[in-house]
Amino acid sequence: MLNNQPDNYTLLLLNAFTLYMLEYKNPRHLQEAENYLISAFSSIHEKESNWNDKKLEEVYNEVIEKLIDKNGELESSMKLNGFNFDFDSIMIKRLLNPLQKANNTLKNLNKILN
């Protein structure tokens, strides 16, 4: 379903939730779940223009609360693997991802032109 609707924040959150529930001991899957979370909140930010940052943070905290409530081992496993739930970090990464992609594109273009 996500292949057909890659910006659907509900599906992105569902994928993140699933990975956090089932694959929380695997660092690669934790990174993938975080990426889904970042994409979901980027999509929410774009699609829900009437939501301010405070509303976005409230929703984020609700999602995290449910994750931790459903999986008591999640937080300790994340800390062990160098991950944590931090709204500000997620929002910064949300802004940095497009910049990193643009930077990589410019690097590749420079290689082609040289």
Side-chain angles (χ1 to χ4, degrees), residues 42-55:
S42 294
S43 182
I44 291 170
H45 192 258
E46 291 170 14
K47 293 179 180 179
E48 304 296 340
S49 58
N50 59 332
W51 288 20
N52 59 23
D53 286 346
K54 184 177 178 182
K55 172 71 174 173

Side-chain angles (χ1 to χ4, degrees), residues 91-107:
M91 292 297 102
I92 290 170
K93 289 176 184 177
R94 176 184 66 83
L95 297 172
L96 285 178
N97 283 344
L99 293 174
Q100 289 172 331
K101 288 179 185 176
N103 188 38
N104 288 338
T105 301
L106 289 173
K107 284 180 184 177

Side-chain angles (χ1 to χ4, degrees), residues 8-25:
N8 184 311
Y9 59 80
T10 304
L11 295 176
L12 291 163
L13 285 173
L14 181 60
N15 274 352
F17 192 87
T18 302
L19 286 169
Y20 282 128
M21 290 300 105
L22 301 175
E23 299 292 341
Y24 61 94
K25 292 182 180 179

Side-chain angles (χ1 to χ4, degrees), residues 28-93:
R28 185 174 61 84
H29 287 116
L30 286 173
Q31 183 62 57
E32 188 177 352
E34 183 177 85
N35 290 340
Y36 281 128
L37 202 58
I38 291 167
S39 296
F41 279 89
S42 294
S43 182
I44 291 170
H45 192 258
E46 291 170 14
K47 293 179 180 179
E48 304 296 340
S49 58
N50 59 332
W51 288 20
N52 59 23
D53 286 346
K54 184 177 178 182
K55 172 71 174 173
L56 205 57
E57 187 171 7
E58 287 173 10
V59 171
Y60 175 84
N61 288 332
E62 282 181 39
V63 169
I64 301 312
E65 210 174 283
K66 296 224 184 290
L67 283 168
I68 293 168
D69 183 51
K70 298 292 181 190
N71 185 347
E73 296 178 39
L74 179 59
E75 273 189 306
S76 61
S77 180
M78 287 181 65
K79 285 179 186 175
L80 183 66
N81 288 293
F83 293 90
N84 66 353
F85 289 120
D86 177 37
F87 178 75
D88 292 332
S89 294
I90 293 291
M91 292 297 102
I92 290 170
K93 289 176 184 177

